[in-house]
């Protein structure tokens, strides 16, 4: 699809957006502007042992950009390989999402990927009234309250787990590479784990991913999030086709609530 055609569609949407729109209301108690989370990503295999593969940050900036006269949270995720692994394989990922404050759905998604000599730059604009997503290459029909790969994380932190029992399933739609997927999140109960921050009381869940060359099992990962109002991702463990990967939180700042699930040493 030509860039001119995409530009024409965007201009068309800019005109019709002036009409009234209906958005869901989803209460956000988990995060606020200024929150920043830092992570270490480690890879383990019989050949390499346990080594630091990458570092990542998740930040809700102070930006208050409005789309269609609606305020948004501007969330930025950055990740890059580090240490010995960079000698053989160098990757950097940059994601941004402008997420509606009340509906917790995205208006714009930005991706910049650098993987050795591979480059990918993508911008996706979401029109929730007409249920369309317009990227650099395609116009995709999307379901109601669709997410991008950033907004789905922050929406999931606000899921109501009050009456959840082990095995309870939550389903969230998201767009990836101009295709719509439905991610199922399975509630696995509660568990206390040791982290670099100390012991943390956590909620344990298993999110579904798209299967392929990396993941053969649609539920390969286990995610632990803090069992408090913040719902901070504390750890992710996942088996790969070769080895396994573990993501651990290393630092945090700007939380919306007291970190009550962190068990202080006596």
């Amino acid at each position: 699809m030509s860039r001119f055609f995409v530009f024409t569609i965007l201009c068309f949407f800019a005109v019709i957006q002036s009409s009234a729109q209906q958005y869901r209301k989803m209460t956000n108690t988990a995060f606020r502007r200024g929150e920043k989370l830092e992570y270490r990503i480690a890879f383990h295999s019989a050949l390499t042992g346990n080594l630091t593969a990458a570092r990542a940050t998740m930040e809700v900036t102070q930006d208050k950009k409005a789309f269609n006269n609606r305020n948004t949270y501007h969330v930025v995720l950055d990740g890059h390989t580090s240490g010995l692994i960079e000698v053989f394989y160098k990757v950097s990922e940059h994601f941004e999402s402008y997420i509606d404050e009340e509906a917790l759905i995205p208006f714009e998604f930005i991706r910049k990927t650098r993987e050795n000599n591979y480059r990918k730059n993508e911008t996706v604009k979401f029109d929730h009234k007409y249920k369309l997503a317009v990227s650099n290459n395609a116009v995709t029909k999307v379901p109601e309250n669709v997410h991008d790969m950033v907004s789905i994380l922050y929406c999931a932190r606000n899921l109501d787990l009050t009456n959840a029992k082990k095995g309870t399933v939550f389903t969230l739609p998201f767009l990836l590479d101009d295709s719509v997927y439905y991610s199922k999140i399975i509630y696995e109960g509660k568990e206390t784990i040791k982290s670099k921050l100390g012991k943390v009381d956590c909620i344990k869940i298993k999110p579904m991913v798209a299967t392929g060359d990396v993941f053969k099992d649609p539920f390969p990962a286990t995610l632990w999030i803090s069992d408090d109002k913040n719902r901070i991702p504390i750890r992710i463990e996942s088996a790969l086709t070769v080895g396994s990967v573990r993501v651990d939180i290393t630092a945090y700042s700007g939380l919306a609530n007291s970190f009550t699930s962190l068990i202080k040493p006596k």
Side-chain angles (χ1 to χ4, degrees):
M1 182 182 296
S2 70
R3 291 180 180 273
F4 175 75
F5 182 60
V6 173
F7 176 75
T8 302
I9 291 174
L10 292 176
C11 289
F12 173 72
F13 285 152
V15 173
I16 62 177
Q17 284 288 359
S18 58
S19 59
Q21 298 187 48
Q22 296 295 321
Y23 292 91
R24 72 178 180 188
K25 289 190 176 181
M26 188 169 181
T27 303
N28 168 36
T29 58
F31 62 89
R32 66 180 179 184
R33 292 180 180 84
E35 180 192 81
K36 185 175 183 180
L37 309 174
E38 301 178 36
Y39 295 89
R40 171 184 179 263
I41 303 170
F43 176 75
H44 179 83
S45 72
L47 179 64
T48 64
N50 190 43
L51 58 85
T52 298
R55 301 283 180 178
T57 59
M58 300 169 56
E59 182 175 8
V60 186
T61 76
Q62 297 293 346
D63 191 3
K64 296 183 180 181
K65 184 176 181 179
F67 288 76
N68 309 322
N69 296 316
R70 294 178 66 89
N71 291 331
T72 63
Y73 294 109
H74 180 206
V75 179
V76 178
L77 273 63
D78 276 305
H80 60 87
T81 48
S82 62
L84 181 62
I85 199 169
E86 277 202 302
V87 177
F88 308 98
Y89 190 63
K90 190 171 185 177
V91 178
S92 68
E93 292 275 16
H94 176 86
F95 303 105
E96 297 181 47
S97 183
Y98 290 91
I99 305 170
D100 186 89
E101 280 189 0
E102 293 186 356
L104 297 184
I105 51 178
F107 284 117
E108 184 173 288
F109 171 75
I110 299 167
R111 176 181 181 181
K112 296 179 182 178
T113 296
R114 303 291 181 265
E115 188 174 324
N116 287 340
N117 294 324
Y118 172 77
R119 300 287 185 271
K120 179 169 184 174
N121 297 309
E122 178 185 37
T123 299
V124 182
K125 294 183 181 293
F126 293 87
D127 184 297
H128 293 284
K129 179 179 180 181
Y130 292 92
K131 298 179 182 178
L132 295 173
V134 183
S135 73
N136 304 60
N137 302 304
V139 177
T140 307
K141 185 69 175 177
V142 295
E144 188 176 23
N145 298 319
V146 70
H147 289 280
D148 59 41
M149 57 191 300
V150 175
S151 68
I152 194 171
L153 299 174
Y154 285 80
C155 175
R157 289 173 63 182
N158 283 284
L159 290 176
D160 185 2
L161 303 177
T162 305
N163 298 315
K165 298 179 181 179
K166 187 173 182 178
T168 299
V169 177
F170 300 87
T171 302
L172 297 174
F174 70 99
L175 185 77
L176 176 63
D177 294 333
D178 300 319
S179 295
V180 175
Y181 299 89
Y182 289 84
S183 179
K184 293 182 180 179
I185 300 172
I186 303 176
Y187 177 76
E188 291 281 293
K190 298 185 179 184
E191 185 177 345
T192 300
I193 65 171
K194 292 181 180 179
S195 74
K196 184 176 179 180
L197 306 178
K199 290 184 178 180
V200 184
D201 290 331
C202 291
I203 294 167
K204 185 179 178 181
I205 61 175
K206 291 186 74 69
M208 185 179 75
V209 302
T211 57
D213 293 336
V214 177
F215 300 111
K216 301 301 182 184
D217 179 356
F219 294 92
T222 302
L223 170 62
W224 289 265
I225 58 176
S226 62
D227 187 14
D228 53 29
K229 290 183 178 180
N230 299 297
R231 301 278 180 81
I232 306 166
I234 301 297
R235 174 175 296 158
I236 304 171
E237 287 186 351
S238 180
L240 306 177
T241 51
V242 178
S244 62
V245 66
R246 187 161 114 172
V247 182
D248 276 306
I249 193 168
T250 58
Y252 65 92
S253 60
L255 301 184
N257 309 283
S258 298
F259 195 174
T260 56
S261 65
L262 179 62
I263 302 172
K264 297 179 180 180
K266 296 180 180 180

